[in-house]
Amino acid sequence: MDTQATRTARELGGTWIAPFGVGAMLMGTSTPEGEARRILDHFVGEVAPRFSAPDGTPARAMIDTADCYCWWEAPGTDGGQSESLLGRWLAETGARERVHLATKGTARLREFDGAFLPDGDPDWAWAYDHFVGASREVLMTSVDASLERLGTDRLDLYYVHVDDRSVPLEESVGALAGMVADGRIGGYAWSNAPAWRLALVQETARAHGWPLPATIQEEHSYLRPRAGLERVAVIGAEHLDLARASAMPIVAYSPVLKGLFSAKERRDPSFWAMASYAGPDADARLATIDEVASQTGATGNQVALAWLMAQESPQVVPLVGARTWDQYLECAEAVDVVLDADQLALLDAAGA
């Protein structure tokens, strides 16, 4: 494995990007606009320019958002805050050509009466029954609305955010392929779907001569899902096999699982971000993270990110979705953590 992989750009759908991306989910709601702009300015102006394609072309800075972000942080709205903030920032900075801009559709809600529990938390079980879905009409209108909020005429990457099995894949993939053809999107992808559905997306595209999906985006970290987990949004062995066989990179959200690689108090099985992983295997891998962090002087979060960025089969592009500047900066500095072959082997082999 290339121990310098954390210092090289990654290719995604024909575009070379920095080895990690910024997730903008909380920008405009939990992350105030001024702090969001500070993160964006630093990532696009200071981090991404350190990387380049093999021909010397500067790498782009991948920024990832969605049209539903972030209604659950702002009750009484239907989302769009993140895209709108990014649109204002892009217009004022002129940074569009330096950014690989990704957004998602299909997870806005048809209605909101019932979207929140009595304690004020979002009712996700209810929400999953009220998403707008992935029909051709929804996809076409959603892309146009995202383009308007983002203030651009083209999206570099567009995701089906939540898999919609009520709509034939020929309809969804066909709509996306049509928008690739007319230039509204540079490529498309799926998120939060089981590997077998992603294989069907590929099969559908091949059968019609349409472009293949550029990537898959799922929750993915150094920890492995616990035995018996039934949660399609978490990367499993089947996802890895599919990506490997397709030579397709994985975009990983929640790569530091709310910071628990650094914050040991969050490793309790009762902490919701730990629930999908808790068990002897996770305990062994977390102990190894701590060991390598001690060897390198890096934080646990930085070691976990450096390990992800060093993966080659398949390649992984982690998304740093920090709420604050300090959280972002800790993660961004992971590009300076170079794990040697022994450390990578130790991390790879850890587990119950």
Side-chain angles (χ1 to χ4, degrees), residues 5-349:
T6 53
R7 297 183 185 273
T8 61
R10 293 302 200 194
E11 186 179 11
L12 179 63
T15 300
W16 288 87
I17 61 173
F20 76 90
V22 162
M25 181 175 76
L26 298 177
M27 293 184 178
T29 50
S30 295
T31 303
E33 184 149 346
E35 194 155 11
R37 286 172 176 264
R38 185 182 183 190
I39 292 169
L40 294 167
D41 288 344
H42 183 268
F43 180 52
V44 175
E46 303 294 331
V47 177
R50 296 174 54 184
F51 305 94
S52 60
D55 66 359
T57 304
R60 289 194 175 195
M62 183 170 70
I63 299 174
D64 181 276
T65 186
D67 62 2
C68 63
Y69 294 159
C70 203
W71 62 262
W72 54 93
E73 296 288 335
T77 75
D78 62 356
Q81 294 92 342
S82 174
E83 288 185 333
S84 296
L85 183 153
L86 289 171
R88 292 190 294 273
W89 174 79
L90 288 168
E92 293 172 21
T93 61
R96 179 66 184 91
E97 294 307 310
R98 291 179 284 157
V99 169
H100 186 268
L101 188 59
T103 192
K104 314 178 197 74
T106 75
R108 290 175 79 94
L109 297 183
R110 299 191 302 271
E111 57 180 301
F112 284 83
D113 187 14
F116 291 92
L117 297 166
D119 64 2
D121 288 338
D123 186 340
W124 290 112
W126 183 93
Y128 269 85
D129 288 331
H130 292 80
F131 289 138
V132 293
S135 69
R136 176 181 175 82
E137 180 182 1
V138 165
L139 289 170
M140 302 287 279
T141 58
S142 295
V143 165
D144 287 344
S146 289
L147 289 169
E148 183 174 355
R149 280 188 292 270
L150 290 161
T152 185
D153 60 0
R154 184 177 185 271
L155 303 168
D156 296 302
L157 183 62
Y158 191 77
Y159 289 93
V160 171
H161 199 170
V162 178
D163 190 34
D164 181 2
R165 300 183 196 175
S166 70
V167 175
L169 279 176
E170 287 80 1
E171 180 177 341
S172 300
V173 180
L176 294 164
M179 289 187 284
V180 171
D182 69 23
R184 275 182 281 181
I185 63 176
Y188 71 94
W190 245 253
S191 182
N192 300 313
W196 65 266
R197 281 285 288 178
L198 300 169
L200 284 179
V201 171
Q202 292 179 329
E203 182 180 320
T204 301
R206 289 191 187 98
H208 292 273
W210 294 329
L212 291 171
T215 185
I216 54 176
Q217 183 181 144
E218 311 279 338
E219 181 175 302
H220 185 40
S221 74
Y222 173 66
L223 298 187
R224 297 181 287 218
R226 58 177 171 78
L229 179 69
E230 295 183 1
R231 186 178 165 211
V232 298
V234 176
I235 285 283
E238 296 84 1
H239 291 96
L240 295 173
D241 287 343
L242 177 68
R244 192 175 295 117
S246 307
M248 180 172 60
I250 289 172
V251 175
Y253 71 79
S254 295
V256 296
L257 296 173
K258 302 302 177 185
L260 61 79
F261 295 101
S262 290
K264 296 181 183 180
E265 70 277 6
R266 294 190 168 192
R267 298 178 184 180
D268 190 282
S270 64
F271 180 53
W272 66 270
M274 187 69 190
S276 296
Y277 307 92
D281 187 72
D283 293 342
R285 287 175 81 81
L286 287 168
T288 306
I289 284 280
D290 294 341
E291 181 179 350
V292 175
S294 178
Q295 292 175 4
T296 59
T299 69
N301 287 339
Q302 290 167 350
V303 171
L305 286 166
W307 180 84
L308 284 170
M309 289 187 284
Q311 298 307 296
E312 291 293 341
S313 183
Q315 293 186 348
V316 179
V317 181
L319 288 176
V320 173
R323 180 178 57 84
T324 69
W325 163 258
D326 289 341
Q327 292 169 351
Y328 158 77
L329 190 60
E330 178 196 1
C331 292
E333 290 175 348
V335 297
D336 294 317
V337 177
V338 180
L339 304 173
D340 65 31
D342 290 340
Q343 291 163 338
L344 286 168
L346 183 65
L347 288 161
D348 289 344

